[in-house]
Amino acid sequence: MPILQSFRMIAAPIALAIVLALSGCSTSASATNDQQTNYVALNGVGVLTVYAAGHRKPALPVSGTDLDGQPLTLSHFAGKVIVLNFWASWCPPCRSEAPALEQVYTDTRASGVQFVGVDIRENGVSDGVHFETTHRIDYPSFSDQASRIALDFRSTGVETPPTTIVIDRHGRIAARGLGEMTYTQLLSVVKSVAAQAST
């Protein structure tokens, strides 16, 4: 077989493999987050993972200050189901999901559910305050401009907003949501965790 023909037969599959590899990498990167603003973008559909009671890891203790500079700690809500939402005012999916989160909080707080936000990487605290005012958020949020809390939760899958962690009454992580949560999606999980025994 001529040398040139042999080279073409070998080179063609290699070129095809390289094109497929490059296109796969590009698709993966663009589907998970926007590299310029660094937020989870899943085409408006968040992914929610629920953990069985026997496979839940303890949530880390969190303390700091809220957006008004007042002390805030998760231990204050011990015994409640805590929905910890990592957000930022510059994050479009965070703005989009805010009304749904507030409504789930309103509809479940009587069942012993407490929502707490974590406002990360803002240009200034005033941006976070404006976000809460605009979206009429009634629950408190940690001010986490240095991403200290987010980094502590990195082992649980928190890297960019929006990410939502549902913590059961025993202080264990019962569910994790990546991307924009819908009202129906989050309500179902929160109600299920809230209905579980506290003893």
Side-chain angles (χ1 to χ4, degrees), residues 80-93:
K80 292 188 175 184
V81 172
I82 299 172
V83 180
L84 192 65
N85 176 253
F86 292 80
W87 61 273
S89 66
W90 45 260
C91 158

Side-chain angles (χ1 to χ4, degrees), residues 118-135:
V118 182
D119 181 22
I120 67 174
R121 299 196 302 273
E122 291 288 4
N123 293 324
V125 176
S126 61
D127 289 346
V129 173
H130 179 71
F131 178 94
E132 287 196 325
T133 302
T134 300
H135 296 285

Side-chain angles (χ1 to χ4, degrees), residues 52-162:
H55 298 277
R56 295 175 183 174
K57 298 179 179 180
L60 297 170
V62 180
S63 61
T65 58
D66 65 16
L67 298 183
D68 293 322
Q70 299 301 311
L72 180 62
T73 177
L74 287 189
S75 63
H76 180 74
F77 308 114
K80 292 188 175 184
V81 172
I82 299 172
V83 180
L84 192 65
N85 176 253
F86 292 80
W87 61 273
S89 66
W90 45 260
C91 158
C94 299
R95 295 194 293 268
S96 183
E97 73 172 0
L101 267 62
E102 175 62 28
Q103 191 60 55
V104 174
Y105 174 53
T106 299
D107 293 346
T108 59
R109 61 194 304 178
S111 301
V113 175
Q114 177 64 51
F115 274 52
V116 181
V118 182
D119 181 22
I120 67 174
R121 299 196 302 273
E122 291 288 4
N123 293 324
V125 176
S126 61
D127 289 346
V129 173
H130 179 71
F131 178 94
E132 287 196 325
T133 302
T134 300
H135 296 285
R136 300 179 180 179
I137 304 299
D138 289 333
Y139 52 86
S141 283
F142 287 99
S143 178
D144 192 29
Q145 292 199 49
S147 294
R148 176 184 59 83
I149 299 172
L151 288 173
D152 286 346
F153 274 82
R154 193 168 187 175
S155 63
T156 65
V158 175
E159 292 190 22
T160 57

Side-chain angles (χ1 to χ4, degrees), residues 12-22:
I14 293 174
L16 178 61
I18 291 172
V19 170
L20 290 174
L22 290 175

